[in-house]
Amino acid sequence: LRDFLDAHVTAGGGEARTGYLAQHPLFEQIPRLRRDFRVPELCTAGGGSVRHTNAWLGPEGTVTPLHFDSYDNVLTQVVGYKRVVLFPAEQTKWLYPKEAGGGGVDAQGNVSAVDVEAPDLERFPDYARAAGLEAVLGPGDGLYIPAGCWHHVRSLTAAFSVSFWF
């Protein structure tokens, strides 16, 4: 594990290859890791339960493109810092969702064609009307992201996060 982290996550550029453990069911693979955290109370308020717990581990500069999830989410930051840009579902008409179908991240139709960090306003002129909110998460922080809320995430440092979908 140390060799992997050194080569793909904590290396300071150079010839290192990016390693990104994204939306990974790590806690199903290694159940004893669940002892190291508590589920945020918000996830079980009103009698609900957590449906998925995912790990996110990657180096500085890792990006999850603008998308929305079908579940409510509490994104918790364990190590490092991430910037999250959020857009309410009501702004979908200005965010240019990609057509559903195919494979990979586009399969569900919940990913935007817009690059939030370098929007092409000639191709996507209505994106200029979208008004996002930005949050920077650090160790110990949690952010509630409602189902259907668009969000773009960038790791500002090497980072480890846990998301709780409920």
Side-chain angles (χ1 to χ4, degrees):
L1 180 61
R2 179 175 303 216
D3 291 343
F4 173 82
L5 292 174
D6 287 345
H8 301 286
V9 178
T10 59
E15 295 183 25
R17 293 170 291 160
T18 300
Y20 187 31
L21 189 70
Q23 193 176 319
H24 189 77
L26 180 66
F27 308 105
E28 292 176 22
Q29 293 176 326
I30 310 172
R32 70 176 172 252
L33 289 177
R34 292 183 188 147
R35 295 185 299 222
D36 294 333
F37 62 83
R38 291 182 318 191
V39 172
E41 290 180 21
L42 177 62
C43 299
T44 57
S49 63
V50 173
R51 296 177 187 213
H52 302 283
T53 303
N54 294 307
W56 305 79
L57 173 67
E60 176 182 349
T62 307
V63 171
T64 301
L66 185 61
H67 71 286
F68 67 86
D69 298 315
S70 300
Y71 299 106
D72 288 326
N73 178 14
V74 175
L75 176 62
T76 60
Q77 194 62 28
V78 180
V79 173
Y81 293 85
K82 288 187 174 179
R83 181 181 59 239
V84 183
V85 181
L86 303 142
F87 298 89
E90 296 78 26
Q91 294 188 23
T92 296
K93 61 188 169 204
W94 300 321
L95 300 178
Y96 297 87
K98 292 181 181 180
E99 294 274 331
V105 296
D106 296 338
Q108 296 179 8
N110 66 333
V111 177
S112 172
V114 177
D115 178 349
V116 169
E117 297 177 321
D120 182 344
L121 296 179
E122 287 187 21
R123 285 182 60 206
F124 310 112
D126 286 340
Y127 178 74
R129 300 176 69 184
L133 297 173
E134 184 175 309
V136 174
L137 302 180
D141 290 340
L143 178 65
Y144 170 64
I145 304 172
C149 179
W150 291 85
H151 50 289
H152 172 277
V153 184
R154 171 176 282 279
S155 292
L156 302 175
T157 65
F160 180 65
S161 308
V162 179
S163 61
F164 299 90
W165 289 350
F166 61 102

